[in-house]
């Protein structure tokens, strides 16, 4: 079949790869000048299967209330006269019930384990290089009460098939010596040796090259304006205002997916959640981390990308505003320098922001729609990099009429 993939982020490019591998004639349409220039460009870099938990949890409401009014809060709601934001927020609250949280966590872990296996197989197949490290992910704590809660939760995560182990302060420093700089503030952590890290933008760019070499066509500078519908199928997609026809269409437009689909009667519970990151060169290799880390108190992730350090986090619900709030970036940088004072070259720090396509449950939308030739692979929130290969293979199976390898 002739397949049009809409969007060349990490999820869209992975979809194109697996669709081409299934024997389809694939064209990717992307409004930017190259692949991976939006949400995939400077994210936290973690393949966080063992910590793939939804934001919506029983503890989330209390945290949100505690952070209200703080400009540097890890999660910041900027209330707007936007019905979609209010609907999303109400659905988020409903997903905070314990039963929903456990069900959603189990689904995310299942997809994550599958996706990591596909990523590793793809890496073996193609030899992709993207500053990846297979040294695990260590969540560290500076609050003894939070560590105690994490220890209790680790058992639940292990029951789902992940290797999330509680570690003492000394064990954490043995895993990542840079944590010695925290001194007595470090109370312990949880470690997952099977998790990974890497540069999502480099991965997306390199995979796009492999796609092109295998026959996938990329049409950059192509803005999706909508669809022409004929009864229960899509007749064409409007690219820069011109109709283009395919046998099937896969929407991987991230946060912009709902805007394109709403006019044809498809309502997606996806809302943009702005995240920030800081990237800077390594200053002192002995003071810089190499194991990917998560600072639970500030909801920040730390990854080593070759000779660069990447720190990412915070969540800001402010619609489709993509302007950089320097105060929030400075807060990330200040926390990093407080924890690892000699790790990076502060003067060369680069700030970035991107919109994560979040659903209230954190569960992405992968599969068919009311139109028999229109498919979705979108809404991955903070886990697009973690789930890209798995969801790409799943959508290729669904479009091809094959039974997916996992029930998602």
């Amino acid at each position: 079949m002739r397949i049009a993939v809409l969007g060349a982020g990490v999820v869209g490019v992975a979809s194109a790869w697996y669709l081409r591998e299934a024997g389809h004639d694939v064209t990717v349409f992307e409004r930017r000048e190259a692949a991976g220039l939006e949400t995939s460009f400077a994210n936290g870099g973690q393949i966080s299967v063992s910590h793939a938990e939804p934001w919506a949890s029983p503890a989330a409401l209390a945290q949100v209330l505690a952070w209200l009014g703080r400009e540097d809060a890890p999660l910041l709601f900027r209330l707007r006269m936007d019905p979609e934001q209010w609907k999303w927020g109400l659905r988020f609250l409903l997903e905070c019930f314990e039963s929903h949280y456990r069900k959603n966590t189990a689904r995310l872990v299942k997809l994550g384990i599958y996706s990591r296996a596909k990523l590793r197989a793809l890496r073996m197949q193609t030899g992709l290089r993207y500053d990846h490290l297979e040294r695990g992910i260590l969540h560290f704590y500076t609050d003894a009460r939070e560590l105690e809660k994490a220890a209790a939760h680790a058992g639940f995560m292990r029951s789902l098939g992940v290797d999330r182990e509680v570690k003492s302060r000394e064990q954490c420093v043995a895993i990542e010596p840079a944590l010695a700089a925290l001194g007595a503030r470090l109370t312990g952590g949880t470690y997952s040796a099977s998790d990974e890290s890497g540069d999502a933008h480099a991965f997306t760019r390199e995979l796009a090259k492999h796609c092109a070499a295998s026959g996938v066509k990329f049409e950059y500078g192509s803005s999706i304006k909508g669809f022409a519908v004929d009864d229960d199928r899509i007749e064409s997609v409007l690219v820069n205002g011109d109709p283009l026809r395919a046998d099937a269409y896969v929407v991987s437009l991230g946060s912009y997916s709902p805007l394109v689909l709403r006019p044809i009667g498809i309502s997606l519970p996806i809302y943009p959640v702005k995240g920030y990151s800081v990237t800077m060169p390594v200053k002192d290799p002995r003071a810089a981390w190499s194991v990917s880390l998560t600072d639970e108190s500030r909801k920040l992730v730390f990854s080593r990308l070759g000779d660069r350090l990447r720190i990412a986090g915070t969540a800001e619900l402010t619609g489709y505003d993509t302007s950089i709030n320097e105060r929030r970036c400075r807060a990330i940088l200040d926390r990093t320098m407080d924890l690892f004072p000699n790790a990076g070259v502060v003067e060369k720090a680069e700030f970035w922001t991107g919109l994560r396509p979040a659903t209230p449950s954190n569960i992405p939308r992968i599969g068919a729609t009311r139109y028999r030739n229109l498919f979705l692979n979108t809404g991955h929130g903070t886990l697009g990099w973690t789930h890209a290969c798995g969801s790409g293979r799943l959508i290729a199976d669904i479009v091809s009429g094959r039974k997916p390898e996992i029930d998602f």
Side-chain angles (χ1 to χ4, degrees), residues 54-56 91-92 95 104 107-108 359-365:
W55 289 339
R91 293 182 68 166
F92 177 87
E95 296 293 344
N104 293 335
R107 294 171 72 186
L108 290 172
T359 65
S361 63
N362 271 77
I363 305 297
R365 294 299 186 262

Side-chain angles (χ1 to χ4, degrees), residues 29-329:
F29 296 93
E30 165 60 44
R31 69 184 177 91
R32 298 293 298 271
E33 62 275 18
L37 293 182
E38 301 235 355
T39 309
S40 309
F41 183 71
N43 68 10
Q46 291 186 339
I47 303 293
S48 51
V49 175
S50 303
H51 295 86
E53 300 161 58
W55 289 339
S57 69
L61 182 56
Q63 288 180 318
V64 171
L65 292 174
W67 290 329
L68 281 177
R70 282 180 47 191
E71 187 64 28
D72 62 347
L75 178 58
L76 178 61
F77 276 84
R78 294 192 187 278
L79 296 180
R80 305 160 56 90
M81 297 301 292
D82 181 355
E84 297 303 320
Q85 185 193 57
W86 286 84
K87 286 192 294 185
W88 189 95
L90 290 173
R91 293 182 68 166
F92 177 87
L93 295 178
L94 291 174
E95 296 293 344
C96 288
F97 285 108
E98 181 74 23
S99 60
H100 290 191
Y101 170 74
R102 285 180 169 265
K103 178 185 69 175
N104 293 335
T105 301
R107 294 171 72 186
L108 290 172
V109 168
K110 186 175 186 179
L111 178 58
I113 291 172
Y114 176 73
S115 188
R116 184 174 58 199
K118 292 302 174 188
L119 170 62
R120 290 173 175 173
L122 176 62
R123 196 162 60 222
M124 290 289 291
Q125 178 183 355
T126 62
L128 280 174
R129 301 176 65 86
Y130 50 93
D131 285 327
H132 88 279
L133 293 173
E134 298 177 77
R135 298 182 182 176
I137 294 177
L138 175 63
H139 283 226
F140 66 87
Y141 295 82
T142 54
D143 185 312
R145 291 171 299 180
E146 290 300 316
L147 176 60
E148 186 176 341
K149 293 177 184 176
H153 185 64
F156 167 59
M157 297 301 291
R158 287 194 297 273
S159 74
L160 299 176
V162 299
D163 58 335
R164 189 161 169 178
E165 302 291 339
V166 179
K167 300 296 182 181
S168 67
R169 176 193 294 117
E170 293 74 19
Q171 288 173 318
C172 289
V173 174
I175 293 167
E176 177 44 75
L179 287 170
L182 276 66
R185 287 187 293 172
L186 178 64
T187 59
T190 60
Y191 178 59
S192 300
S194 62
D195 283 343
E196 304 181 9
S197 60
D199 187 334
H201 173 242
F203 173 86
T204 307
R205 183 187 64 222
E206 293 305 307
L207 185 58
K209 292 179 182 177
H210 281 272
C211 284
S214 71
V216 175
K217 295 179 284 295
F218 286 85
E219 298 290 344
Y220 296 115
S222 298
S223 183
I224 307 303
K225 301 298 184 181
F227 297 94
V229 175
D230 181 14
D231 195 24
D232 66 343
R233 62 180 287 112
I234 301 298
E235 181 179 302
S236 63
V237 60
L238 301 178
V239 181
N240 295 332
D242 297 323
L244 291 172
R245 290 175 173 81
D247 298 315
Y249 307 82
V250 176
V251 177
S252 293
L253 293 169
S255 297
Y256 299 94
S257 300
L259 303 185
V260 171
L261 294 170
R262 201 172 294 141
I264 60 171
I266 296 177
S267 179
L268 295 180
I270 294 172
Y271 198 78
V273 178
K274 185 193 289 189
Y276 293 89
S277 74
V278 176
T279 306
M280 57 184 168
V282 172
K283 180 180 180 181
D284 181 355
R286 294 169 299 177
W289 58 89
S290 56
V291 173
S292 190
L293 305 171
T294 297
D295 175 7
E296 279 294 340
S297 68
R298 302 295 178 88
K299 306 301 181 188
L300 296 177
V301 303
F302 303 76
S303 291
R304 179 72 170 267
L305 307 175
D307 59 359
R308 297 169 297 147
L309 301 176
R310 170 73 49 77
I311 313 97
T314 81
E316 185 178 351
L317 278 84
T318 184
Y320 287 87
D321 174 23
T322 56
S323 62
I324 290 180
N325 183 328
E326 188 163 327
R327 182 173 176 181
R328 292 179 74 77
C329 292

